[in-house]
Amino acid sequence: MGDEDYNTSLAYDDYSDDFDPIMVLEESSPLEGKVARIFLVVVYSIVCFLGILGNGLVIIITTFKMKKTVNTVWFLNLAVADFLFNIFLPIHIAYAAMDYHWVFGTAMCKISNFLLIHNMYTSVFLLTVISFDRCISVLLPVWSQNHRSVRLAYVACVVIWVLAFFLSSPSLVFRDTARVHGKISCFNNFSLSAAGSAPWPAHTRLDPVGFSRHMVVTVTRFLCGFLVPVLIITACYFTIVCKLRRNRLAKTKKPFKIIMTIIITFFLCWCPYHTLYLLELHHATMPGSVFSLGLPLATAIAIANSCMNPILYVFVGQDFRKFKVALFSRLVNALSEDTGHSSYPSHRSFTKMSSMNERETSML
């Protein structure tokens, strides 16, 4: 390998994971950088508001207002994962608003990035387990009825949270802060070199160990947080569809609608993120504008997923063409959709109203 190839292949830190804004946006024009920064502030603010409000409401409903079922356990854990990330999102908003000057310390730099990646892993693992649970319910209905329990669902969730913690732990190790061009940047220090040493980040560019760590983290994140779950979920729902068509169980398809929408939304939100960060491993072969504009946009889309689920519960879980049923009732009915009825006794009137709306809609 020649010197030119060696320097090119190891010059990875210009676009470090979760993009280092100072280094990336300097590659773009001042106008592009300003537009990207304003865009992030606006999107993050909207996501933060909707995420805290929506996921907080889902947590309250599933914890205090509904009977505990396997379904509500899944939805509760999805909401908790999103909510934990959303409450730290104001830090990212402030970071972008202050022209990418990190004033929150190294510990918070590690924690904020850890929560983003942990949210991704927790969500995708939960969606994978939900898909497997649905598949077993269709293939082995008798076994599922006898063994599918709330306790088992909680055990599965504990395993998911622990596994997500370990897979997200590289953020706690490699995330670091350093002063660059008069600003403090929160970045990935895969070389584990002294962040304050000069010249930064040039000291990481000739470090093959650091590049190897960067590649391992990125590829592991893509495989475990995206590709493998996609294959498992696709196999589960392909099996379900084949079973339903073979047995003509048309009525059984309805409970899968909201879960399928959540899964599709998740992968649409995270696909650009994983694609660009895989390309980033060899960013020297790509135009700089792909990363200066694409990385902020991909990160914003991925983060937006943390506020999507409560919205989907309302607009997908029930008939969207009629608005006579209260928002609270829509959430209750959506979250208990797989049971066929609301498990919150005092909301029978809401369920009745919902059924009246369905009859009205069918007459239109």
Side-chain angles (χ1 to χ4, degrees):
M1 179 182 291
D3 291 340
E4 183 179 354
D5 294 334
Y6 181 78
N7 290 331
T8 299
S9 65
L10 296 179
Y12 65 91
D13 207 55
D14 284 347
Y15 304 107
S16 59
D17 185 54
D18 273 345
F19 79 97
D20 172 23
I22 293 177
M23 307 307 294
V24 171
L25 294 181
E26 281 187 353
E27 296 290 330
S28 61
S29 68
L31 180 60
E32 286 179 344
K34 184 176 181 180
V35 169
R37 189 161 54 86
I38 294 174
F39 172 79
L40 289 182
V41 170
V42 172
V43 172
Y44 287 3
S45 299
I46 295 173
V47 170
C48 182
F49 173 76
L50 293 178
I52 291 177
L53 180 64
N55 289 299
L57 187 57
V58 170
I59 291 172
I60 292 173
I61 291 174
T62 54
T63 303
F64 302 107
K65 303 297 183 180
M66 297 181 68
K67 177 184 177 181
K68 288 294 180 292
T69 65
V70 172
N71 198 51
T72 57
V73 171
W74 302 141
F75 288 128
L76 172 62
N77 279 268
L78 279 171
V80 170
D82 289 336
F83 186 82
L84 285 176
F85 173 71
N86 286 137
I87 61 177
F88 280 86
L89 197 50
I91 294 176
H92 295 267
I93 297 172
Y95 186 39
M98 292 188 295
D99 199 17
Y100 302 112
H101 178 53
W102 187 267
V103 297
F104 306 104
T106 303
M108 193 56 66
C109 172
K110 295 176 180 289
I111 292 172
S112 61
N113 184 256
F114 168 82
L115 287 174
L116 170 64
I117 306 305
H118 188 271
N119 172 259
M120 177 197 72
Y121 277 124
T122 306
S123 298
V124 75
F125 290 162
L126 281 167
L127 294 176
T128 304
V129 170
I130 291 171
S131 302
F132 185 75
D133 174 49
R134 303 282 183 175
C135 186
I136 293 299
S137 297
V138 171
L139 294 180
L140 304 171
V142 177
W143 185 93
S144 179
Q145 186 176 4
N146 293 332
H147 296 85
R148 188 173 180 263
S149 65
V150 173
R151 182 176 178 275
L152 186 59
Y154 275 118
V155 171
C157 289
V158 170
V159 173
I160 286 171
W161 281 79
V162 172
L163 181 60
F165 177 87
F166 283 109
L167 288 172
S168 307
S169 59
S171 294
L172 301 177
V173 177
F174 299 118
R175 207 67 176 170
D176 206 349
T177 57
R179 183 172 292 276
V180 186
H181 305 310
K183 298 176 183 177
I184 299 175
S185 176
C186 176
F187 72 107
N188 276 327
N189 185 5
F190 288 105
S191 67
L192 296 179
S193 302
S197 63
W200 183 88
H203 67 279
T204 63
R205 294 181 179 175
L206 300 178
D207 179 12
V209 176
F211 180 73
S212 298
R213 291 168 178 162
H214 185 194
M215 180 173 290
V216 169
V217 169
T218 303
V219 172
T220 300
R221 195 170 292 174
F222 171 71
L223 292 176
C224 297
F226 192 78
L227 183 60
V228 174
V230 165
L231 295 177
I232 295 175
I233 290 172
T234 301
C236 287
Y237 278 95
F238 179 78
T239 303
I240 290 171
V241 169
C242 291
K243 180 71 172 181
L244 294 178
R245 286 183 176 179
R246 188 182 307 119
N247 296 342
R248 298 181 180 179
L249 300 174
K251 293 182 179 179
T252 320
K253 296 181 182 180
K254 187 176 180 180
F256 302 114
K257 180 175 62 174
I258 191 168
I259 296 298
M260 282 300 298
T261 306
I262 293 171
I263 290 170
I264 292 171
T265 302
F266 177 89
F267 288 113
L268 287 178
C269 287
W270 282 97
C271 184
Y273 177 94
H274 289 289
T275 301
L276 280 173
Y277 286 122
L278 284 174
L279 293 175
E280 180 233 4
L281 290 171
H282 301 284
H283 66 84
T285 61
M286 304 291 294
S289 59
V290 171
F291 299 99
S292 63
L293 299 178
L295 287 176
L297 179 61
T299 303
I301 294 173
I303 286 177
N305 183 253
S306 65
C307 75
M308 291 290 190
N309 290 349
I311 299 173
L312 296 176
Y313 298 152
V314 175
F315 296 121
V316 178
Q318 295 294 324
D319 180 20
F320 183 44
R321 288 174 289 179
K322 296 290 182 178
F323 288 88
K324 293 183 180 180
V325 182
L327 174 66
F328 186 82
S329 173
R330 287 178 177 273
L331 280 170
V332 171
N333 284 320
L335 296 172
S336 59
E337 194 170 5
D338 71 336
T339 64
H341 58 83
S342 173
S343 53
Y344 184 38
S346 63
H347 283 78
R348 290 175 182 172
S349 58
F350 286 135
T351 306
K352 183 178 180 181
M353 291 173 63
S354 178
S355 62
M356 291 174 62
N357 277 343
E358 291 177 1
R359 288 198 298 269
E360 292 174 8
T361 302
S362 63
M363 295 172 64
L364 294 178

